[in-house]
Amino acid sequence: MRVRDPLQVDEGVPAAVEEHLAAVLRERTADAADADPDFASDVADRVAAFALGGGRRLRAEFLWWALRGSGGGAPRRRRPWGSRPPSNSSRRAR
């Protein structure tokens, strides 16, 4: 599975979740088929199809935007060399 750039995920959270979920389920159903082919066809494949079969992925989207809103998911931007940090207006000069 690949790690996506957070800015790309911002463009389509449900699609990113769907892509990641499909990759995880492919691995798990392959593992199930190796362990027990009957179980894989009777249960694992059906559960995977159900999980991928729809939904708007709203919970995932709410979680993603909560993460982004709290400053997570993207590297911090660096200030240009020699620039001053933003002034704090609540502090008074002495």
Side-chain angles (χ1 to χ4, degrees), residues 7-8 10-11 13 16 18 21 24 31 44 60 63 65 67 73 82:
L7 296 177
Q8 289 177 335
D10 288 351
E11 297 296 320
V13 176
E18 191 80 16
L21 182 61
V24 169
D31 292 344
L63 179 64
W65 288 112
L67 171 81

Side-chain angles (χ1 to χ4, degrees), residues 1 8-9 16 20 22-23 26-27 29 34 39-40 45 47 50-51 54-55 62-63 70 72 78 81 87-90:
M1 284 175 276
Q8 289 177 335
V9 176
H20 187 76
R26 265 192 308 276
E27 288 180 16
T29 54
D34 290 342
F39 171 80
D45 290 340
V47 170
F50 177 76
F62 286 140
L63 179 64
S70 63
R78 296 184 184 183
W81 180 259
S87 64
N88 187 347
S89 61
S90 65

Side-chain angles (χ1 to χ4, degrees), residues 3 13-15 19 22 32-33 38 52 67 72 76 78 84-85 88-89:
V3 175
V13 176
E19 178 184 311
D38 291 332
L52 292 171
L67 171 81
R76 293 183 182 187
R78 296 184 184 183
R84 302 178 88 184
N88 187 347
S89 61

Side-chain angles (χ1 to χ4, degrees), residues 35-57:
D36 184 349
D38 291 332
F39 171 80
S41 64
D42 290 343
V43 179
D45 290 340
R46 290 180 187 184
V47 170
F50 177 76
L52 292 171
R56 295 174 288 164
R57 310 282 182 225

